[in-house]
Amino acid sequence: MVRKIFAVILFTMCSTMGLAQEFDYISTANRKFKQIDELIVEGDIEKVRELQNEILLFVDKIEDLETRFLVYGFAINNYISTQCYEEAIALSISAIDKAKDCFGPKHKEVAMLLNLLGLSYAQNQQIQLAIEYGNQSVQMYEDLKEIEDEPYLMAVIMLNQYYGENNQYPESIEMLRRALKLMESHEIPSERLAIVLRSIATSYSNLNNYTMAQIYTIKALRLYKDKKSANYWELKQNLALLYDNNGLHQEAIQTIDEVCDTLRMFGASMFYASALCDKASIYIHTNETKRKIEAIQIAEESAKFFESANDTLSDEYIHSLMTKAEAYRSLDLSERAQEIYKRVYCLQKSFLDTTDIDDLEILSYSAVLANDLQGGLSYFLMLKNLILQEKGENSVDYANIEYRLSELYYLLHDYESAITNIMDALPIMRSSLAKSFFMLEDKERTEFWNKYISIFSESLPKMCYAADNPHFSGLMFDASLLSKGLLLNTERLKRNLTQGYAQVDDFVKPFFLNWRDVQDKLKEDDIAIEFVRVNLYPDIPVYLAVAIRSGYENPKITKLFFEDNLKHASDTLYYQCSEMADLVWKPLRAELEGVKTIYFSPSGALYNIGIEYLPGMEDYNIYRLSSTRELASGRKEETNNRAVLYGGLDYNATLPVFRRILS
């Protein structure tokens, strides 16, 4: 899509400059470009290369420099269109050097070619280089104050796409906000501003910050003058989904109903069918039985539009079927949902390409939903190899697929493999968190953390509990260190960094704290305990304790009690009889032998129970912490009380519900 847009812009600019009338060789170049367009459609790549070479033999003879480099731009874009990415990269680098010789190191033609070099690298799956040169292009346009023309907007949008490919949404938002501010200071058409606002909204949505996404989407909608344009109603459709994600169900229903009614009136059948599918999804999420039943009918109506148009291989048609299945599941009609999942899976296997990353990802999830776990495993492993080849083992995409694989291994009861895969993913996820948290504002961090909280607070503890392997206990402890108190410590560190009391390394370090760092602070008669609430399938909460002492080779996991046991313990007698103490402390008796001081961090319901005051604990010095990471950070404070709470935030009491593919 980006290549097509760029080609249109170049063609328009070339036409404006009178390219076809300037000289005989320019007329020849124009004729050859038209031939190339036809050959690209026919797929004759060798002939395209031949004509490109003929043009490049005389392009430097064009006297008008701007026209000369527009021809270079056309030639580079043709290489990209024919997937000759190495040639596109080489020609871009050569053209940039020539442009600098003609115009100097900073000129809008140099910026245009830098943008094309970034695009060439992006299409060649070299995203980091694409980001580097995309940034150079955008920065050069801004330094030259060339903000008003379309090439600047195109450079901004393309750089935003590269950031998205690399999951660098905070960097994307920062760049887009800067561009928006600059564009607002010039007389830029409102439609262009709307494009930037919409891009910011998309980046926020990818960070799970649906509130900010909603705000920027509304701002973008206000800038559209043509209320009948497809772009306007597509954006309005997005707004309905954002309302839905923010729990504003009435606003979501009202907006999607308006979209559907308007598109039906316009006669835009395919757009209308897509909107119907989103309407069904929104109705499902209201949790009203009547709406869920309606959702089945709406999804069926959507699917019939695609079937009547013989468009049963499109993503939109598949989406309508999957939405219908979701409606059945929401009504506990799992058998009917399963029939649809199997139908979709068979359909996708017939046409999706197993050498394509996007297609493989779809097949992987589809196989799991169809209950073909072994098939899903095969697709996930193929997907992992492709991502490894194209993006490398340090990419966020690689970490995400390792995590998904770990969940699938868990479903297959291969707990050792599940833990091994998630161990590979954790360092990359920690790095992503550290970098993103540093760039985000305080409120935005909470939304971004929601992308990871289920991993560190749910999936990883669940796997460690099931694996019952002492070598995995360190992972459990480290996950607890990261998830508890993360937001509070992040804000404190960033504030200190801003005020000059800390270095950037001080900010990053807490993301990589592990149980060894805590152990190093313990005396021989100390113990540090992280209580963890684990939600076992299907929604059975249990509690365990992960403890470390100075001489332990690994933390030790002690399984405690099911949350249901708390219902049978009388809260009025917690501190008068041993019932609660038997649940919490009695299983830990062996670990507490020889201990004088206990540092512990609660979880779940234990936040609301003073377990340090339970009978039998009078002889210990007990310190309640928001996280035992406070020991490693040196923030422990002495107190005359037997118990003290550090941090004071409850990060674990109530976790949001996640609709995940493998849940």
Side-chain angles (χ1 to χ4, degrees):
M1 182 63 182
V2 172
R3 295 200 299 273
K4 291 180 181 177
I5 293 173
F6 203 89
V8 169
I9 291 173
L10 282 174
F11 180 79
T12 302
M13 294 173 72
C14 289
S15 300
T16 303
M17 298 191 67
L19 183 62
Q21 290 82 34
E22 190 175 351
F23 300 104
D24 289 342
Y25 49 81
I26 296 180
S27 178
T28 301
N30 189 52
R31 186 177 68 254
K32 290 182 183 296
F33 275 135
K34 289 181 178 178
Q35 290 177 312
I36 286 172
D37 287 340
E38 295 172 359
L39 291 168
I40 289 174
V41 174
E42 295 172 4
D44 192 344
I45 307 305
E46 288 305 315
K47 187 63 177 177
V48 169
R49 284 177 170 164
E50 182 182 324
L51 291 176
Q52 286 266 95
N53 289 335
E54 292 175 9
I55 293 170
L56 294 174
L57 285 174
F58 59 78
V59 64
D60 288 333
K61 296 179 182 179
I62 299 175
E63 294 182 7
D64 186 281
L65 294 180
E66 290 193 3
T67 303
R68 179 190 303 176
F69 287 100
L70 280 172
V71 173
Y72 269 120
F74 243 141
I76 294 165
N77 192 65
N78 285 334
Y79 276 138
I80 294 172
S81 297
T82 53
Q83 300 182 13
C84 301
Y85 304 130
E86 296 293 343
E87 290 94 331
I89 291 168
L91 184 56
S92 297
I93 293 172
S94 172
I96 288 168
D97 290 338
K98 291 178 180 180
K100 287 180 178 179
D101 289 339
C102 293
F103 299 109
K106 283 193 175 184
H107 190 273
K108 64 180 181 180
E109 299 300 330
V110 178
M112 180 269 290
L113 292 166
L114 283 168
N115 189 23
L116 277 173
L117 178 57
L119 177 59
S120 302
Y121 276 124
Q123 296 300 319
N124 204 39
Q125 301 301 323
Q126 294 172 273
I127 301 300
Q128 205 55 54
L129 284 170
I131 290 172
E132 178 184 338
Y133 288 104
N135 259 314
Q136 288 184 30
S137 176
V138 169
Q139 191 62 57
M140 190 173 292
Y141 278 123
E142 292 175 356
D143 292 344
L144 295 167
K145 295 182 171 53
E146 295 282 349
I147 308 298
E148 298 181 16
D149 294 331
E150 268 191 64
Y152 170 68
L153 175 62
M154 182 55 60
V156 166
I157 297 306
M158 291 165 74
L159 178 55
N160 174 56
Q161 289 194 4
Y162 309 153
Y163 276 135
E165 282 285 313
N166 227 27
N167 296 293
Q168 293 179 244
Y169 300 114
E171 292 90 337
S172 172
I173 290 170
E174 184 179 46
M175 181 271 298
L176 290 168
R177 280 174 167 171
R178 185 184 73 238
L180 180 65
K181 187 175 181 180
L182 287 169
M183 292 173 72
E184 286 176 337
S185 66
H186 293 71
E187 293 184 4
I188 305 295
S190 58
E191 287 78 6
R192 292 190 197 173
L193 293 177
I195 292 172
V196 179
L197 287 165
R198 184 172 182 169
S199 298
I200 297 174
T202 300
S203 292
Y204 271 122
S205 185
N206 286 320
L207 284 170
N208 287 359
N209 191 340
Y210 301 117
T211 301
M212 291 301 294
Q214 177 183 310
I215 290 171
Y216 277 95
T217 299
I218 292 172
K219 287 182 178 180
L221 282 167
R222 289 171 179 164
L223 292 178
Y224 277 95
K225 295 177 180 177
D226 182 7
K227 300 297 191 277
K228 293 184 179 180
S229 71
N231 286 337
Y232 176 82
W233 288 102
E234 183 184 3
L235 194 56
K236 194 99 171 180
Q237 188 173 333
N238 290 347
L239 178 61
L241 294 173
L242 290 170
Y243 281 141
D244 185 45
N245 281 316
N246 281 324
L248 302 172
H249 298 305
Q250 290 306 313
E251 291 85 346
I253 291 171
Q254 181 179 348
T255 305
I256 197 64
D257 284 350
E258 180 188 1
V259 170
C260 289
D261 291 345
T262 303
L263 293 178
R264 184 177 61 236
M265 183 178 63
F266 287 166
S269 59
M270 290 300 105
F271 290 116
Y272 174 57
S274 173
L276 280 175
C277 192
D278 286 343
K279 180 176 180 176
S281 292
I282 289 170
Y283 276 27
I284 293 167
H285 301 154
T286 62
N287 285 328
E288 299 174 18
T289 302
K290 181 182 177 181
R291 296 281 189 188
K292 292 177 182 180
I293 295 172
E294 287 183 73
I296 295 173
Q297 299 166 346
I298 295 168
E300 283 179 350
E301 183 183 354
S302 174
K304 285 177 181 177
F305 271 100
F306 297 106
E307 290 168 354
S308 62
N310 199 26
D311 189 18
T312 56
L313 299 182
S314 66
D315 291 340
E316 289 80 4
Y317 176 65
I318 299 295
H319 186 206
S320 66
L321 293 179
M322 297 294 277
T323 303
K324 182 179 176 182
E326 184 187 355
Y328 279 129
R329 281 186 66 183
S330 70
L331 292 166
D332 292 327
L333 299 172
S334 56
E335 290 186 6
R336 292 192 180 183
Q338 195 68 28
E339 290 173 6
I340 297 175
Y341 291 142
K342 289 180 179 179
R343 176 185 169 190
V344 168
Y345 181 42
C346 290
L347 186 63
Q348 290 174 328
K349 283 197 296 183
S350 68
F351 70 88
L352 290 180
D353 181 4
T354 55
T355 64
D356 180 83
I357 284 182
D358 293 335
D359 284 2
L360 259 180
E361 186 172 10
I362 292 169
L363 277 171
S364 302
Y365 292 131
S366 188
V368 174
L369 285 172
N371 204 31
D372 181 8
L373 299 186
Q374 289 297 336
L377 179 60
S378 297
Y379 290 131
F380 268 118
L381 289 173
M382 285 191 282
L383 180 59
K384 174 183 173 179
N385 288 333
L386 276 182
I387 291 175
L388 185 61
Q389 292 170 17
E390 295 191 7
K391 301 191 177 183
E393 62 182 6
N394 293 318
S395 68
V396 174
D397 287 331
Y398 182 76
N400 287 339
I401 202 63
E402 285 283 67
Y403 167 60
R404 296 302 179 191
L405 266 170
S406 71
E407 287 200 316
L408 184 49
Y409 278 125
Y410 177 82
L411 291 177
L412 290 165
H413 305 291
D414 184 353
Y415 304 127
E416 301 286 323
S417 296
I419 294 296
T420 300
N421 276 269
I422 207 166
M423 283 177 68
D424 291 339
L426 288 180
I428 305 168
M429 291 179 174
R430 287 175 181 269
S431 296
S432 175
L433 277 166
K435 187 175 183 181
S436 299
F437 263 50
F438 181 71
M439 299 189 67
L440 293 172
E441 297 299 324
D442 187 23
K443 292 181 180 178
E444 294 167 355
R445 291 191 201 108
T446 304
E447 304 293 344
F448 186 69
W449 174 234
N450 283 343
K451 292 171 71 73
Y452 290 91
I453 191 172
S454 63
I455 297 174
F456 291 98
S457 297
E458 294 181 9
S459 296
L460 184 54
K462 178 177 63 180
M463 293 175 194
C464 290
Y465 184 95
D468 200 17
N469 187 320
H471 296 294
F472 299 149
S473 58
L475 282 176
M476 176 94 76
F477 203 100
D478 292 348
S480 187
L481 289 181
L482 185 64
S483 60
K484 292 182 182 180
L486 178 63
L487 301 177
L488 177 67
N489 283 281
T490 300
E491 181 56 28
R492 177 178 58 81
L493 279 166
K494 188 168 184 179
R495 186 169 58 250
N496 289 345
L497 183 63
T498 303
Q499 296 172 354
Y501 301 140
Q503 303 297 319
V504 173
D505 287 345
D506 296 325
F507 183 89
V508 174
K509 183 179 177 181
F511 289 87
F512 295 91
L513 282 175
N514 59 52
W515 69 271
R516 293 282 188 189
D517 298 310
V518 176
Q519 186 184 49
D520 289 343
K521 301 296 182 180
L522 297 178
K523 298 176 184 177
E524 188 174 345
D525 55 3
D526 292 346
I527 189 170
I529 302 172
E530 286 284 343
F531 288 98
V532 180
R533 180 184 185 272
V534 181
N535 200 35
L536 301 180
Y537 179 84
D539 196 22
I540 302 173
V542 299
Y543 286 79
L544 52 83
V546 194
I548 50 174
R549 294 185 65 175
S550 60
Y552 284 5
E553 293 185 6
N554 291 292
K556 294 186 179 181
I557 295 177
T558 302
K559 296 178 181 179
L560 300 177
F561 56 89
F562 291 93
E563 193 166 72
D564 277 351
N565 294 138
L566 296 179
K567 298 177 182 178
H568 306 298
S570 173
D571 57 356
T572 59
L573 301 176
Y574 281 167
Y575 312 105
Q576 300 172 32
C577 67
S578 63
E579 191 174 7
M580 179 58 68
D582 287 345
L583 289 176
V584 177
W585 296 113
K586 187 176 180 180
L588 288 163
R589 189 167 295 167
E591 307 303 327
L592 296 178
E593 187 173 343
V595 167
K596 291 183 179 178
T597 302
I598 300 172
Y599 301 101
F600 81 93
S601 173
S603 178
L606 298 185
Y607 277 108
N608 304 316
I609 302 172
I611 59 174
E612 58 271 43
Y613 297 111
L614 295 176
M617 305 307 295
E618 296 84 359
D619 296 333
Y620 298 99
N621 297 313
I622 307 180
Y623 295 88
R624 174 184 286 247
L625 314 176
S626 64
S627 167
T628 57
R629 65 188 287 142
E630 304 298 347
L631 296 173
S633 63
R635 293 186 63 225
K636 185 177 79 71
E637 302 170 6
E638 293 300 330
T639 177
N640 292 326
N641 298 324
R642 278 200 322 112
V644 61
L645 173 65
Y646 296 103
L649 292 187
D650 180 350
Y651 295 101
N652 242 30
T654 304
L655 296 175
V657 175
F658 290 84
R659 295 193 298 270
R660 300 203 313 279
I661 198 82
L662 297 180
S663 60

